Amino acid sequence: MNSQTVLTGLFGHPVGHSLSPLMHNRAFAELGINFRYAAFDIEPGQVREAVEAIRALSLRGVNVTIPHKVTVMDYLDEVDAEARAIGAVNTIVNDGGKLIGYNTDGRGYVRSLTEETGVDLSRQSALLLGAGGAARGVAVALLGAGLASLVITNRTREKAEQLAEHLQAIHPQASITVQPTERINEALVDATLLVQTTSIGMHPNVEASPVSKEALHERLLVSDLIYNPMDTKLLRDAKEKGAHTHQGLGMFIYQGALSFEYWTGQPAPVDAMREAVWDALRSRQQA
């Protein structure tokens, strides 16, 4: 680092576990550009001051993670249409003192899904598990990328219905319906894409799955947003039933890649970013 170094970072609470600094600093080094990325643990009551510090310290931008993705929107100069539709910001760009909010989560997910599996979204009938922030971002991006049919199921049906209503207003031509969780098996019969956005199966509860193995079938592409572990029980079960699978690590990498591109104006070195994250995850699992 020197007096010309451009600073970026992560706002969240907590942030000690985050792999984003490792991933982004590897990307900056790969391209030989004088940028650095740091993690900032921001208490919930300090969001406004933290946003003001972006200007004061001339940070080029930051990523925003839990629990600040919604709160931070109140303190930005502009929020793009996609982020407003999702209702959350995960990337801030400092454009000469003007702070603009974006959301790269959904597009990062779709980019990962399509590039890694080759799936044609316009021909899929999707079942979405969950109705939280991750589900919202993914659903907006999937429908924006051409998905025509979406069924939402969530433990709290009211949240699923609220999400469906919101999505239908944005994409009136799409078929968007809600099914109770006890009818997941029935909903899966006609589904070709299963998108798992809940925390079920995340470390340390690695033997949990939101779907019974018996309900899975070989016509499915099963996508799980969880990346710790990289192969969740849901994905292991899906492989045994002959279904195609998609791991959650790609979403994390590609959302970061899109942020990187906003800040630098250069194509992100995705392979190097993926390698950095893989190496870190393997080290943690072996520890």
Side-chain angles (χ1 to χ4, degrees):
M1 292 181 65
N2 54 41
S3 61
Q4 303 302 312
T5 301
V6 178
L7 297 178
T8 60
L10 173 69
F11 285 0
H13 180 71
V15 293
H17 66 287
S18 177
L19 295 176
S20 290
L22 182 69
M23 178 174 71
H24 281 285
N25 285 320
R26 171 66 180 275
F28 296 145
E30 189 76 12
L31 296 188
I33 57 179
N34 193 9
F35 277 61
R36 293 294 186 275
Y37 187 107
F40 301 95
D41 195 324
I42 308 298
E43 295 281 349
Q46 297 177 318
V47 175
R48 181 172 188 165
E49 291 85 347
V51 172
E52 291 173 350
I54 298 173
R55 291 193 190 90
L57 299 175
S58 297
L59 274 66
R60 172 58 175 147
V62 297
N63 285 134
V64 184
T65 189
I66 295 170
H68 305 318
K69 289 186 178 185
V70 176
T71 307
V72 76
M73 296 173 70
D74 293 337
Y75 308 115
L76 302 178
D77 299 308
E78 183 180 319
V79 176
D80 89 325
E82 180 184 31
R84 286 202 177 278
I86 294 170
V89 160
N90 83 322
T91 300
I92 299 173
V93 175
N94 183 355
D95 186 6
K98 180 181 181 180
L99 302 184
I100 307 171
Y102 299 91
N103 194 305
T104 66
D105 285 333
R107 276 179 293 136
Y109 172 76
V110 168
R111 182 170 165 183
S112 168
L113 182 68
T114 55
E115 289 190 9
E116 294 174 20
T117 70
V119 67
D120 180 353
L121 289 173
S122 67
R123 302 178 64 183
Q124 306 306 310
S125 177
L127 174 61
L128 180 73
L129 306 184
R136 193 181 184 103
V138 164
V140 167
L142 285 170
L143 292 165
L147 181 71
S149 176
L150 178 66
V151 177
I152 305 168
T153 184
N154 186 63
R155 183 182 58 184
T156 305
R157 178 165 184 147
E158 184 181 359
K159 285 189 67 176
E161 290 174 342
Q162 289 172 350
L163 177 57
E165 182 179 353
H166 174 76
L167 295 171
Q168 197 73 75
I170 301 171
H171 297 280
Q173 304 305 315
S175 171
I176 304 171
T177 58
V178 172
Q179 285 276 25
T181 52
E182 58 267 24
R183 296 179 64 181
I184 286 178
N185 291 7
E186 180 182 332
L188 276 171
V189 172
D190 296 321
T192 59
L193 173 63
L194 173 62
V195 183
Q196 195 315 80
T197 74
T198 77
S199 61
I200 299 173
M202 184 182 294
H203 182 83
N205 301 311
V206 297
E207 292 306 315
S209 174
V211 179
S212 68
K213 182 177 178 180
E214 292 70 31
L216 302 172
H217 54 80
E218 62 184 10
R219 301 185 312 281
L220 272 175
L221 168 57
V222 180
S223 176
D224 197 331
L225 269 61
I226 292 170
Y227 62 86
N228 185 17
M230 286 187 275
D231 267 323
T232 60
K233 186 176 190 304
L234 174 61
L235 294 184
R236 298 196 307 270
D237 288 346
K239 288 177 183 177
E240 290 185 19
K241 293 300 292 282
H244 295 288
T245 61
H246 172 250
Q247 296 176 329
L249 186 61
M251 176 180 178
F252 173 68
I253 293 165
Y254 279 111
Q255 62 79 27
L258 290 167
S259 298
F260 179 97
E261 291 166 4
Y262 275 126
W263 298 327
T264 68
Q266 299 188 43
V270 173
D271 289 342
M273 296 169 81
R274 181 181 288 109
E275 183 180 2
V277 174
W278 273 348
D279 288 346
L281 285 173
R282 289 192 189 101
S283 296
R284 288 185 180 183
Q285 289 170 1
Q286 292 169 1

